[in-house]
Amino acid sequence: MKRRAAKSERKPSRRSQPKSYRPQTGKHAGAEAVKASRLPSRAVVMRLAAEVDALAAQLQDSRARILDLEARVDVDPLTDVLNRRGFERELKRSLAYVKRYGTSAALIYVDLDGFKPVNDRHGHGAGDVVLKAIAAALSRNVRASDVVARIGGDEFAVLLWNVNGANAAAKAGALEAAVYGTPVRWNASTLVVGASAGVALLGALDTPADVIARADAAMYARKAERRDGHSGSRVAAARNP
């Protein structure tokens, strides 16, 4: 009897709850809480996305500015045509094209006549205005495929494509006339300069130095011709109206 009573007094055993309903306590509960606290809120995510977009826009703008600066490295800041570095790059490219495809091209070396008196009498500001006007005149009188560059103080170079010797010589004369036909008003004076142009055809075996040397020699020969008063020469000077 005692045994039965003792047996009946035992507490009934609790059924084990399913795992899905069992509350997590201790280590597992702490880990879940930490994990939940680490999840970013929607506001944080949106702010980070906006920052990423802003950085991407800044990167794109920086790349555009770098490309612009790289392009400007080869441009003369005063006249806005190619500088000597840009000209030498284009001359090398032209020689490579001539050598590979057998096409024709010419270099016209243009040196201004009477430019020093402009600086001496009217100052470098006047000289800068004249150089800008001459660069613009040269650019207007060549094709879009041709190249105009300022390679020295008052020296310019023009690269012509698909021309023979006669056409290049005719263009050189036209450029001399274009320079002389570009008067510049400066205060009460009209400034006019002349130009001497020498021509050299590009050959398949030429180096850039070869072409420049021939064009430079032709330019000095033309300058001597103009100085001696031969046909086509004009006196360059600063004249008052």
Side-chain angles (χ1 to χ4, degrees):
M1 293 292 295
K2 290 183 180 180
R3 282 172 124 185
R4 287 183 181 178
K7 194 172 182 180
S8 62
E9 288 176 359
R10 291 180 183 175
K11 294 181 179 180
S13 61
R14 296 180 179 177
R15 292 182 180 179
S16 59
Q17 296 180 356
K19 290 184 178 180
S20 59
Y21 295 97
R22 184 180 297 174
Q24 295 184 352
T25 58
K27 184 186 294 186
H28 293 290
E32 289 296 327
V34 171
K35 184 178 180 180
S37 66
R38 289 178 178 173
L39 292 175
S41 66
R42 180 177 178 82
V44 172
V45 171
M46 292 181 66
R47 187 179 73 248
L48 291 174
E51 291 177 357
V52 170
D53 290 341
L55 290 173
Q58 291 177 8
L59 179 59
Q60 185 175 2
D61 182 63
S62 297
R63 287 174 175 169
R65 282 186 291 174
I66 289 172
L67 290 175
D68 181 64
L69 289 173
E70 288 176 347
R72 301 302 295 180
V73 167
D74 291 336
V75 175
D76 177 52
L78 176 63
T79 59
D80 207 32
V81 296
L82 290 180
N83 57 20
R84 190 175 189 96
R85 168 179 165 148
F87 160 73
E88 290 177 347
R89 183 201 66 214
E90 291 300 321
L91 179 57
K92 290 178 181 177
R93 184 180 299 173
S94 299
L95 284 169
Y97 198 86
V98 168
K99 182 176 181 179
R100 182 169 183 178
Y101 298 104
T103 187
S104 59
L107 168 62
I108 300 179
Y109 200 111
V110 181
D111 184 76
L112 300 187
D113 298 325
F115 180 72
K116 187 175 184 299
V118 171
N119 279 336
D120 293 343
R121 298 172 190 172
H122 301 276
H124 290 281
D128 288 349
V129 173
V130 170
L131 290 173
K132 290 179 184 180
I134 298 305
L138 294 175
S139 299
R140 284 194 305 269
N141 284 273
V142 298
R143 299 163 298 183
S145 59
D146 298 327
V147 174
V148 176
R150 181 189 177 205
I151 57 177
D154 62 345
E155 298 174 337
F156 294 85
V158 179
L159 278 169
L160 304 176
W161 280 97
N162 298 319
V163 293
N164 55 30
N167 290 336
K171 177 56 70 174
L175 293 180
E176 287 182 354
V179 170
Y180 186 76
T182 307
V184 174
R185 292 286 300 177
W186 180 259
N187 297 327
S189 298
T190 300
L191 309 179
V192 179
V193 297
S196 298
V199 179
L201 295 178
L202 277 63
L205 300 180
D206 281 336
T207 65
D210 294 335
V211 180
I212 293 173
R214 288 204 308 273
D216 186 58
M219 179 272 294
Y220 275 108
R222 174 60 176 156
K223 190 178 288 288
E225 180 183 88
R226 289 165 58 82
R227 187 171 55 246
D228 294 338
H230 290 179
S231 62
S233 64
R234 291 185 174 91
V235 177
R239 65 174 183 236
N240 289 326

